[in-house]
Amino acid sequence: MSDISKLAGVSVSTVSRALAGSPLVPEAMRDKIAAIAREHGYVVNHAARNLRLQTTQTIGVVLPLGHETGQQITDPFLLEMIGHLSERVIQRGFDVLLTKVTTPTEGWLGALVQSHRFDGMLMLGQSDQHAAIEEIATRYPPMVVWGERLKNQSYCTVGVDNVYGGRLATEHLINQGRKAIRFIGPPRVPEVEARHQGYLEALKNAPRQKVPDDLIESHFTFDGALETVRDLLRRRVRFDALFAASDVIAHGALTALAEAGLRVPEDVALVGFDDVALARSLNPPLTTIRQDLALASQMMVDLLFKRIAGEQTSSAVVPASLIVRGSSVRVDA
């Protein structure tokens, strides 16, 4: 930089400001200094600059998967969400650091924060780590979590109204004349528990609907759902409709039903949750509860940067909507 200042006939501080794009340096001089820098192979050391400014220019995207060690980043929901978040972060001139935590140990989140590898954190799901997130939120404000808004939580969340979404899906199946509707998904996950709550509320408010004692446990994976529904069929568990906690679970269920020679929706109606691209390409196309992931990602990033700037922000709720397709409506309906 000292050499460039001599060649340009200006001070080192002027070179520094010019290469940073400062409007305090006239445009013609900025162009002249940039040309000299290119000619002599000068490259800004961003690591050193960020160290001086006490910033990383990086946002952490964290996936805590304590409830589901088998779930991959290639999961359609995670892929879409990470893609939307990354686009929004990059538009703000920041990089993205992706971290997947499959076996969270005590203190894992505190250690991640203390690593100082990012300026703020976007977390995808609470998993079974609500207590750890709650504890760190009291001393780490720049964090926004995609998930269910829980009672008395202190951290900022963005998420769909899962209870309402659960009611929508179940009421739709009831309106299709289904009498034995079962819910399938992983327990002890706040979002799934809320969807299950909406499911139960809809059944209790409907005449002549049997309310099952519990949900059908399944992993958040295609293979897990496939084996779960295969087992239901082997045990001759009675149902004429399945409400799956995710589109991926619904995909596994659909495959198991087809293997058994059962027709969807004639024999078994099927509804998912998320409305990822996969839902539209299944045969039949999947009825599902839509979460607007593009909107949700925009909200998460906007809230995070407000918190990085020192603002206090409230949690936000994304609308849920029912998308009706061929997996739940009989042809003669």
Side-chain angles (χ1 to χ4, degrees):
M1 194 177 291
S2 176
D3 292 338
I4 293 171
S5 72
K6 293 174 183 176
L7 292 168
V10 295
S11 67
V12 172
S13 60
T14 297
V15 172
S16 178
R17 284 193 290 269
L19 294 176
S22 172
L24 297 175
V25 180
E27 183 178 358
M29 180 56 71
R30 290 203 306 269
D31 292 343
K32 177 182 177 181
I33 291 171
I36 294 172
R38 286 194 300 271
E39 182 182 348
H40 290 81
Y42 178 85
V43 179
V44 176
N45 187 328
H46 289 285
R49 179 178 180 273
N50 291 342
L51 183 62
R52 175 170 55 84
L53 297 175
Q54 295 187 320
T55 180
T56 64
Q57 291 294 109
T58 299
I59 298 299
V61 176
V62 180
L63 283 67
L65 297 177
H67 68 286
E68 188 62 79
T69 57
Q71 193 172 13
Q72 303 294 313
I73 293 175
T74 52
D75 175 279
F77 171 80
L78 293 179
L79 274 182
E80 289 194 24
M81 197 67 178
I82 292 169
H84 286 301
L85 288 172
S86 298
E87 288 291 343
R88 297 300 184 183
V89 169
I90 291 168
Q91 286 172 7
R92 289 177 175 263
F94 279 63
D95 293 326
V96 174
L97 175 66
L98 180 62
T99 301
K100 178 184 176 184
V101 185
T102 54
T103 53
T105 56
E106 185 176 355
W108 73 271
L109 187 51
L112 187 60
V113 167
Q114 291 167 9
S115 70
H116 300 293
R117 291 187 291 166
F118 42 72
D119 298 329
M121 183 194 306
L122 296 165
M123 188 174 295
L124 291 187
Q126 291 134 313
S127 184
D128 55 2
Q129 297 297 302
H130 168 67
I133 301 169
E134 184 69 24
E135 189 275 331
I136 206 68
T138 60
R139 50 193 172 90
Y140 188 72
M143 175 176 66
V144 177
V145 180
W146 168 261
E148 178 68 13
R149 186 172 184 176
L150 301 174
K151 186 177 180 181
N152 298 323
Q153 76 180 33
S154 60
Y155 54 90
C156 178
T157 56
V158 174
V160 76
D161 186 337
N162 288 291
V163 175
Y164 176 63
R167 282 203 306 269
L168 273 181
T170 310
E171 288 170 356
H172 169 70
L173 290 169
I174 292 170
N175 291 336
Q176 296 302 309
R178 304 296 172 162
K179 301 298 183 183
I181 305 167
R182 298 302 303 266
F183 181 94
I184 176 171
R188 299 175 298 280
V189 177
E191 292 168 276
V192 175
E193 289 180 345
R195 293 167 195 176
H196 186 239
Q197 178 186 335
Y199 155 84
L200 291 176
E201 289 177 2
L203 290 182
K204 290 173 182 176
N205 292 332
R208 297 182 297 279
Q209 282 288 337
K210 182 180 178 182
V211 181
D213 295 331
D214 54 11
L215 58 74
I216 297 169
E217 292 193 22
S218 170
H219 291 290
F220 250 143
T221 62
F222 171 85
D223 289 338
L226 178 65
E227 287 304 317
T228 295
V229 177
R230 281 173 174 169
D231 181 62
L232 291 179
L233 297 171
R234 281 193 295 266
R235 293 190 289 114
R236 300 184 182 278
V237 175
R238 181 176 172 270
F239 58 88
D240 63 3
L242 289 176
F243 171 25
S246 77
D247 292 345
V248 171
I249 293 174
H251 185 197
L254 180 64
T255 303
L257 293 169
E259 286 179 353
L262 294 171
R263 300 167 301 162
V264 174
E266 290 83 359
D267 300 317
V268 179
L270 184 62
V271 175
F273 205 109
D274 290 333
D275 195 30
V276 295
L278 166 75
R280 298 184 288 277
S281 62
L282 295 178
N283 185 23
L286 183 66
T287 294
T288 187
I289 299 298
R290 183 171 189 265
Q291 305 186 88
D292 190 335
L293 300 187
L295 173 62
S297 299
Q298 179 68 69
M299 294 169 70
M300 288 182 70
V301 173
D302 287 348
L303 288 171
L304 179 63
F305 277 88
K306 286 180 180 179
R307 296 179 76 84
I308 290 173
E311 295 184 37
Q312 294 294 320
T313 65
S314 300
S315 295
V317 177
V318 179
S321 57
L322 175 68
I323 307 298
V324 178
R325 299 192 180 101
S327 70
S328 64
V329 181
R330 290 189 178 98
V331 175
D332 58 352

